[in-house]
């Protein structure tokens, strides 16, 4: 008990500050309709000086790492096997192919531009799966690195901006392309980055389009698990190479192939699918997941200096634009035979 009390005493200043920033971001997002993750990031960066405070630093680090993992794990309550089955096999194939090729493009182009494959997986996963939430989930499986937080923040800013633009432009695009309500829903759900923007764009075009867009989007969210496995595998491979290069010393333990939060994610999907959990449990889980992810984004923002974001150059921006355009073109082509 004394150990727990001491641990809480160390963490609470950072926890409290992250919570304050998260609540402010949720308030602003609700009243102004902008992406909550973007608000959390910007507000966090505005109080960056707290990351240098010895009292706040441990709690901020805890939120940015451990609370983030719990937020990702609770995303599993959003998905059931019935939702995946309702898509039909061709639709599932479309989603898997689109996500896989977008991530593959990101990795290849990142290496061509001189970045590490990790950045390609991070950017491609955020575009292909579910925006800022995916970026944070994938980053959680990566090893700690001085550049990881900066890369994550850049991807969150870019994907949140692109998702908001897509929410406005894509409904006009699908009308111009002459897609029927079902096809429009598949396009919107298969291309817009963040879940909230998919819901907003889909239901602005009608109930049928909104329902289809939401289910397709949740299928993309389900792709988090295999992508996290890939991220963990890349981490293990890099870790093994580093260990082999050391001339002396005991070998360090390798990271697990499947992080614990991904295991919990899968278990929650199965639990909700088989037992049909009460709505109050599911809605509470959704709320906690959102709160945890927003708080983690706030903590990451607090840890980051604005000059680090501004120094990334034009290549990462071009990469994420390319991934976004590629995903939209691919989904449209896959819809043509449907």
């Amino acid at each position: 008990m004394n150990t727990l009390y001491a641990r809480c005493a160390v963490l609470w200043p950072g926890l409290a500050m992250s919570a304050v920033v998260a609540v402010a971001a949720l308030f602003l997002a609700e009243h102004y309709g902008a992406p909550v993750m973007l608000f959390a990031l910007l507000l966090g960066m505005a109080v960056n000086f707290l990351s240098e405070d010895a009292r706040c630093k441990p709690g901020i680090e805890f939120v940015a790492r451990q609370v983030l993992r719990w937020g990702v794990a609770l995303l599993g309550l959003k998905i059931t096997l019935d939702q995946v089955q309702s898509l039909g096999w061709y639709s599932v194939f479309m989603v898997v192919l689109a996500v896989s090729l977008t991530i593959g493009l990101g990795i290849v182009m990142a290496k061509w531009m001189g970045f590490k494959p990790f950045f390609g997986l991070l950017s491609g996963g955020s575009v292909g799966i579910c925006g800022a939430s995916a970026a944070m989930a994938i980053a959680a499986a990566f090893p700690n690195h001085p550049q990881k937080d900066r890369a994550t923040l850049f991807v969150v800013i870019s994907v949140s901006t692109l998702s908001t633009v897509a929410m406005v432009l894509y409904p006009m695009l699908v009308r111009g392309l002459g897609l029927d309500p079902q096809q429009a829903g598949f396009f919107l759900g298969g291309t817009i980055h963040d879940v909230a923007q998919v819901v907003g764009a889909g239901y602005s075009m009608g109930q049928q389009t909104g329902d289809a867009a939401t289910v397709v989007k949740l299928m993309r969210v389900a792709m988090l698990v295999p992508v996290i496995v890939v991220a963990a595998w890349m981490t293990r491979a890099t870790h093994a190479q580093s260990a082999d290069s050391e001339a002396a010393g005991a070998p360090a333990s390798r990271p697990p192939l499947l992080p614990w939060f991904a295991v919990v994610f899968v278990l929650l999907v199965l639990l909700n699918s088989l037992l049909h959990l009460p709505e109050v449990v599911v809605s509470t889980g959704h709320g906690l997941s959102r709160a945890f992810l927003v708080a983690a984004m706030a903590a990451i923002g607090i840890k980051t200096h604005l000059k680090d974001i501004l120094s990334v150059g034009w290549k990462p921006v071009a990469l994420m634009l390319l991934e976004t355009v590629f995903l939209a073109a691919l989904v449209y082509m896959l819809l043509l035979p449907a």
Side-chain angles (χ1 to χ4, degrees), residues 12-330:
W12 82 263
L15 293 173
M17 292 312 305
S18 298
V20 168
V21 174
V23 169
L26 288 165
F27 176 84
L28 290 173
E30 182 178 347
H31 285 77
Y32 294 99
V36 66
M37 293 295 184
L38 190 57
F39 271 133
L41 168 62
L42 296 176
L43 291 174
M45 292 172 65
V47 292
N48 169 261
F49 60 88
L50 293 172
S51 63
E52 306 299 328
D53 190 313
R55 295 169 299 175
C56 295
K57 189 172 183 178
I60 292 170
E61 293 286 350
F62 179 83
V63 175
R65 296 185 62 189
Q66 298 304 323
V67 174
L68 166 61
R69 287 167 167 82
W70 278 110
V72 174
L74 290 171
L75 285 174
L77 287 172
K78 287 188 174 184
I79 305 164
T80 65
L81 297 179
D82 290 339
Q83 291 170 334
V84 176
Q85 187 178 9
S86 69
L87 286 176
W89 288 113
Y90 182 71
S91 301
V92 173
F93 165 76
M94 286 172 52
V95 170
V96 172
L97 182 65
V99 171
S100 301
L101 291 181
T102 301
I103 293 174
L105 174 72
I107 293 174
V108 171
M109 293 303 298
K111 293 179 68 175
W112 182 73
M113 290 179 173
F115 302 119
K116 293 185 177 181
F118 286 105
F119 184 73
L121 178 60
L122 184 65
S123 61
S126 68
V127 170
I129 301 176
C130 56
S133 299
M136 296 170 70
I138 295 167
F142 286 164
N144 287 328
H145 187 274
Q147 302 300 321
K148 186 178 84 167
D149 286 340
R150 185 177 76 161
T152 303
L153 281 172
F154 171 79
V155 170
V156 167
I157 291 173
S158 300
V159 82
S160 297
T161 303
L162 289 170
S163 186
T164 302
V165 172
M167 179 182 67
V168 175
L169 295 183
Y170 282 7
M172 295 185 286
L173 178 62
V174 296
R175 288 191 181 97
L177 294 172
L179 300 181
D180 62 39
Q182 186 79 5
Q183 290 176 321
F186 273 71
F187 181 84
L188 297 176
T191 57
I192 298 178
H193 310 321
D194 285 307
V195 175
Q197 276 82 351
V198 168
V199 172
Y203 285 106
S204 71
M205 299 189 66
Q207 184 73 31
Q208 184 180 0
T209 299
D211 290 345
T214 301
V215 174
V216 171
K217 184 61 184 178
L218 290 177
M219 177 58 191
R220 288 170 67 194
V221 174
M223 290 292 291
L224 264 178
V225 173
V227 173
I228 288 173
V229 172
V230 172
W233 174 81
M234 291 172 65
T235 298
R236 282 167 61 91
T238 302
H239 188 277
Q241 291 175 1
S242 299
D244 291 341
S245 65
E246 294 179 359
S253 59
R254 297 176 68 184
L257 180 59
L258 189 61
W260 67 263
F261 59 89
V263 175
V264 176
F265 181 101
V266 173
L267 291 177
L268 289 177
V269 171
L270 295 175
L271 192 63
N272 195 24
S273 300
L274 299 176
L275 300 182
H276 299 289
L277 297 175
E279 180 59 31
V280 64
V281 174
V282 175
S283 61
T284 300
H286 288 179
L288 285 174
S289 175
R290 185 168 186 252
F292 287 169
L293 290 175
V294 173
M297 191 72 258
I300 293 173
I302 293 172
K303 292 170 57 180
T304 302
H305 295 276
L306 180 60
K307 61 182 177 61
D308 293 335
I309 301 298
L310 297 177
S311 65
V312 297
W314 63 269
K315 287 184 179 179
V317 178
L319 175 60
M320 297 200 67
L321 280 172
L322 176 63
E323 291 165 348
T324 298
V325 173
F326 172 81
L327 178 62
L330 177 61

